[in-house]
Amino acid sequence: MLKRSLSKGAAFALVAALTAEVAGCGTPNATHNSLTSNTSAASAVSYPMTVKDDMGNTVTLKHQPMHIVSGSEGTDEILVSLVPKSRIALVTTLASNPEYSNVVAQVKGIRAWSGDDPEQALAVHPDLVLEAGYVNPSVRTQLQQAGVPMYTFSLNDFNSISDIERNILTVGRLVGEPAKANAVVANMKQDIAQIEGAVQGQPHPTVLDYGSYGYAAGRDTTVDDIIRDAGGVNVAHVLNGWQKITDEQMVKWNPDVIIDSSDDAAFLKKLAADPALRSVTAVREHHLYAINSADLSSASQYVVRAVYDVAKVLHPSVHLNAPKVLA
C-alpha cells in the first residue's frame, strides 16, 4: 500500500528505506489485529465494532462505514472490490493513473486525495480512514484529534502475498463485507495455484529484481513471493527485505533473469549496455524484462497478475491462463 503520490520507482525506494530501517530497529508499536483470526473471520460482523489496528491503536466504528477514505493505492484497489463507489469518499491520486493503478475504470468519478491534506479528508466527513504506517504522523494526528475512526496498517503488513491476503480480510471486516473479502482471497489462492501448477516441473531460473535506486528485493518482500510462485529462484533471498547492492554483488550472483518495473525500463537498457556486467548471464543473453509497474508493486489482489507476468518471462513455452481477479 505504498503507492501514494510517488512515482513507482520512488515508491520502491521509500519502502526499501523503511524496510531497512525496520529491520534494523524493529517495530515495537506494531501489533497483530484480531480481525483475521480463524474465529472472527468466520463470525458475522456487527456494529459498533471496537478493534485495535496494526499499530496498536483502538479503533471504534459506531456503524457500518458509508464514507470511507482510502489513504493508499493498495486500499484503493481492495475497497473497490468490496463496496460500491457510493461508499468511497476519497481514493488516492494514483488510483486514476494506469501506470500505477489496476482500478482506473472502477474509481472514475470518485474524488482524489493526495494524502497530505487532512482538511480535505475531514471535509468529506469520513466514518473510516484506511491509512499506512508510513504516512506523515501529523496527518494521522490531526485526523485522530478530529475523532475520525482510522485504521492504520503497519510497515510489517507489506512483506508477503499472505500479508496482502490478511489486509484484504481486515478491510472486508471493517467495511462489513467479510464474505466478499473471503471470495477475493480464495480467488487469489486459486489463481496462484494454477500458475504454480503450470510451471511445476520446469527449470527454475535464478532471478534478480533490481532497479535504478540500487535496491534489490530480498526475502520478506512480496517480490520474493512473486518470483517463487512464478517458478523462479530469487538470488537476493539471502538479503533481509529491500537492500542496496553493488555491481560486484550482481556479478557474483550471476542471475539468469533480471526484472524491473516498467516505469523504470530505461534502467534495464543501461544495465544491458554496461561493459562491467557482460559476464552476467541475464545481461549476456538479453534476459532483462520490464514487468508491468501496477502489477509488480501491487499491494492488493492484483499482485497475482505480477506472478503471471513474471511466470510468462521465466517460462515462455508454458501455457498460462491469465488470472481473473475479482474486482
Side-chain angles (χ1 to χ4, degrees):
M1 299 180 185
L2 293 169
K3 298 177 288 184
R4 178 188 294 279
S5 56
L6 305 169
S7 70
K8 191 58 61 69
F12 272 130
L14 173 61
V15 68
L18 291 172
T19 303
E21 182 178 337
V22 168
C25 65
T27 54
N29 293 326
T31 183
H32 291 295
N33 71 72
S34 60
L35 284 169
T36 54
S37 68
N38 290 334
T39 301
S40 64
S43 62
V45 172
S46 62
Y47 301 92
M49 174 192 295
T50 298
V51 299
K52 285 190 179 297
D53 69 10
D54 293 350
M55 304 297 288
N57 302 310
T58 299
V59 183
T60 299
L61 300 174
K62 295 180 180 179
H63 51 76
Q64 185 178 36
M66 302 302 290
H67 299 279
I68 306 167
V69 169
S70 172
S72 70
E73 211 279 328
T75 48
D76 295 339
E77 294 185 347
I78 293 171
L79 272 176
V80 296
S81 70
L82 302 180
V83 301
K85 289 167 61 173
S86 60
R87 290 179 58 190
I88 306 175
L90 293 174
V91 291
T92 68
T93 53
L94 288 182
S96 59
N97 189 328
E99 186 172 9
Y100 309 126
S101 172
N102 289 288
V103 293
V104 173
Q106 293 94 317
V107 301
K108 188 175 181 179
I110 303 176
R111 294 169 61 187
W113 181 42
S114 68
D116 299 324
D117 181 6
E119 295 295 338
Q120 184 184 2
L122 292 173
V124 299
H125 306 291
D127 46 18
L128 174 63
V129 175
L130 299 172
E131 270 295 4
Y134 63 86
V135 73
N136 188 325
S138 65
V139 175
R140 293 206 311 266
T141 297
Q142 189 165 340
L143 293 174
Q144 288 170 336
Q145 289 178 343
V148 175
M150 179 170 57
Y151 191 101
T152 303
F153 294 89
S154 82
L155 292 176
N156 287 335
D157 289 324
F158 313 104
N159 295 342
S160 67
I161 291 178
S162 63
D163 286 342
I164 293 174
E165 293 170 348
R166 185 176 63 250
N167 293 341
I168 293 169
L169 295 175
T170 295
V171 174
R173 295 194 62 77
L174 288 170
V175 302
E177 298 291 351
K180 288 184 179 179
N182 289 338
V184 170
V185 170
N187 189 72
M188 286 177 65
K189 292 180 181 295
Q190 182 179 13
D191 282 336
I192 291 174
Q194 289 177 345
I195 295 169
E196 289 177 328
V199 301
Q200 188 175 13
Q202 297 293 316
H204 297 284
T206 55
V207 184
L208 174 66
D209 178 282
Y210 184 54
S212 59
Y213 283 82
Y215 285 89
R219 65 183 179 275
D220 295 328
T221 64
T222 55
V223 174
D224 188 59
D225 283 1
I226 289 166
I227 292 171
R228 183 195 63 243
D229 293 344
V233 176
N234 182 12
V235 294
H237 184 81
V238 293
L239 304 179
N240 182 24
W242 291 87
Q243 300 285 339
K244 276 197 170 184
I245 64 169
T246 63
D247 287 353
E248 290 75 17
Q249 183 64 69
M250 190 191 311
V251 171
K252 180 180 179 180
W253 282 338
N254 190 28
D256 298 317
V257 174
I258 296 175
I259 61 173
D260 191 6
S261 59
S262 57
D263 72 331
D264 199 34
F267 180 66
L268 293 177
K269 294 181 180 180
K270 182 179 179 180
L271 292 180
D274 189 340
L277 301 177
R278 288 175 182 168
S279 65
V280 177
T281 301
V283 175
R284 186 178 65 251
E285 299 185 0
H286 308 290
H287 292 162
L288 300 100
Y289 301 102
I291 306 300
N292 182 275
S293 299
D295 297 345
L296 189 60
S297 61
S298 176
S300 76
Q301 62 271 23
Y302 289 93
V303 71
V304 300
R305 289 185 176 177
V307 179
Y308 171 75
D309 296 341
V310 174
K312 283 197 303 181
V313 302
L314 298 186
H315 308 286
S317 63
V318 174
H319 174 73
L320 296 168
N321 294 319
K324 297 179 179 179
V325 179
L326 290 185

